[in-house]
């Protein structure tokens, strides 16, 4: 047998890399990222983190214990430009600084974004400080989310919620029903509506909601993706997923 050894040629430059830490029980977040970045020169790498049910502030904070190991397994020993931590209430419970520190133990060069911090950045960029909130959470978690916004000097005019204790059940919420529920929220005294939770099927209905309600609609996955794109300096237009993508 004749052997032919050929020298490989390697790429000299890689696409910007986003690492996504998704909850083990999240049906939605990967779909939402892919719906926006599909066809772009961006590489998305996902690893999942164990989620404890029922959802409480204690179990949400406990997830953070695994962040460093989960981050290490996203392209081990390779550079990641941005890590997106895919849990809104988990960020509130553990704290952004804790999450960033644990991510950077594994990927020191990575910029870090989370749903709740990206939502606050989006509100500030838009000049909005009076909002209504919708969540699928129980009241205890709701109180923590509301307090987080209030500490950022954002006024909460109303809170509407489902009172679901399991992340698996949140992911099974019917998208058409959710649209009807969100359409009926009174936003007369609010400049925007923030829909919390990465597991809710919100991204695909945001454009339709904004047109129907004539208000800014923000969601966990939407603002998380928006900031991730900003952090990797991707300037390509994003159309059909909310007005926030019209600003940088």
């Amino acid at each position: 047998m004749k052997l032919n050894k050929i020298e490989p040629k390697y790429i000299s430059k890689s696409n910007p890399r986003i690492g996504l830490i998704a909850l083990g029980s999240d049906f939605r977040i990967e779909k939402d990222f892919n719906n926006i970045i599909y066809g772009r020169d961006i590489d998305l790498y996902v690893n999942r983190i164990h989620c404890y049910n029922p959802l409480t502030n204690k179990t949400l904070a406990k997830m953070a214990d695994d962040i460093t190991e989960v981050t290490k397994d996203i392209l081990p020993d390779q550079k990641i430009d941005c890590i997106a931590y895919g849990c809104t209430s988990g960020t509130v419970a553990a704290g952004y600084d804790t999450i960033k520190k644990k991510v950077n133990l594994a990927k020191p060069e990575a910029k870090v974004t989370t749903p709740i911090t990206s939502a606050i950045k989006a509100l500030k960029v838009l000049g909005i400080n009076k909002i209504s909130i919708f969540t699928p959470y129980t009241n205890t978690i709701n109180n923590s989310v509301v307090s987080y916004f209030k500490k950022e000097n954002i006024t909460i005019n109303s809170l509407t919620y489902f009172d679901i204790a399991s992340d698996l059940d949140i992911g099974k919420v019917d998208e058409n029903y959710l649209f009807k529920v969100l359409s009926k929220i009174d936003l007369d005294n609010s400049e925007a509506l923030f829909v919390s939770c990465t597991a809710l099927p919100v991204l695909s209905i945001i454009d339709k909601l904004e047109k129907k309600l004539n208000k800014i609609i923000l969601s966990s996955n939407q603002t998380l993706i928006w900031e991730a794109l900003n952090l990797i300096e991707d300037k390509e237009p994003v159309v059909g997923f909310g007005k926030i993508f019209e600003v940088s």
Side-chain angles (χ1 to χ4, degrees):
M1 181 178 68
K2 183 180 179 181
L3 299 178
N4 297 296
K5 180 181 177 182
I6 299 175
E7 290 297 319
K9 181 180 180 180
Y10 299 108
I11 58 174
S12 59
K13 183 180 180 182
S14 62
N15 291 333
R17 295 169 175 171
I18 297 175
L20 171 61
I21 299 176
L23 270 62
S25 54
D26 194 324
F27 293 100
R28 177 59 48 175
I29 194 167
E30 288 155 307
K31 292 180 182 179
D32 285 351
F33 263 86
N34 284 319
N35 281 339
I36 289 180
I37 70 171
Y38 177 78
R40 293 169 179 254
D41 293 329
I42 299 169
D43 294 334
L44 176 69
Y45 302 95
V46 184
N47 200 9
R48 289 187 171 252
I49 193 166
H50 183 70
C51 178
Y52 303 89
N53 284 303
L55 298 175
T56 65
N57 285 320
K58 184 176 180 180
T59 58
L60 288 164
K62 182 175 173 58
M63 281 196 304
D65 294 343
D66 299 328
I67 288 175
T68 302
E69 289 304 312
V70 170
T71 306
K72 278 182 183 177
D73 287 336
I74 302 176
L75 290 190
D77 302 319
Q78 297 296 304
K79 179 183 176 182
I80 298 289
D81 298 290
C82 172
I83 294 288
Y85 183 65
C87 189
T88 316
S89 52
T91 304
V92 173
Y96 173 79
D97 290 341
T98 295
I99 290 166
K100 184 178 186 301
K101 180 180 178 181
K102 288 178 179 291
V103 165
N104 288 147
L105 285 173
K107 302 286 185 184
E109 75 290 337
K111 297 172 183 177
V112 181
T113 179
T114 75
I116 193 78
T117 52
S118 63
I120 287 167
K121 286 180 183 177
L123 290 169
K124 290 182 177 179
V125 166
L126 292 165
I128 290 173
N129 57 20
K130 293 180 181 179
I131 67 170
S132 291
I133 296 176
F134 179 88
T135 89
Y137 312 134
T138 59
N139 201 41
T140 302
I141 297 173
N142 286 335
N143 289 338
S144 299
V145 172
V146 169
S147 294
Y148 199 98
F149 278 106
K150 285 183 175 179
K151 287 177 183 176
E152 296 291 333
N153 297 315
I154 296 168
T155 300
I156 311 302
N157 284 329
S158 69
L159 170 69
T160 308
Y161 64 102
F162 279 147
D163 195 25
I164 301 174
S166 168
D167 196 59
L168 283 167
D169 290 334
I170 293 172
K172 297 173 184 176
V173 169
D174 181 86
E175 181 179 300
N176 293 326
Y177 176 71
L178 182 61
F179 178 81
K180 291 178 183 178
V181 169
L182 298 178
S183 296
K184 294 177 182 177
I185 296 176
D186 183 0
L187 299 177
D188 284 349
N189 296 317
S190 297
E191 298 166 277
L193 171 66
F194 174 65
V195 185
S196 187
C197 192
T198 63
L200 279 177
V202 189
L203 184 69
S204 56
I205 61 174
I206 285 178
D207 189 52
K208 189 164 61 169
L209 277 169
E210 286 190 334
K211 289 172 181 174
K212 182 178 178 65
L213 300 173
N214 197 28
K215 296 283 184 176
I216 297 290
I217 310 296
L218 300 176
S219 79
S220 292
N221 288 349
Q222 177 211 45
T223 61
L224 184 67
I225 298 166
W226 168 77
E227 187 176 28
L229 294 178
N230 284 339
L231 291 175
I232 63 169
E233 299 182 356
D234 180 83
K235 303 300 182 185
E236 284 189 51
V238 175
V239 180
F241 296 100
K243 293 179 181 177
I244 184 57
F245 286 105
E246 297 174 10
V247 298
S248 58

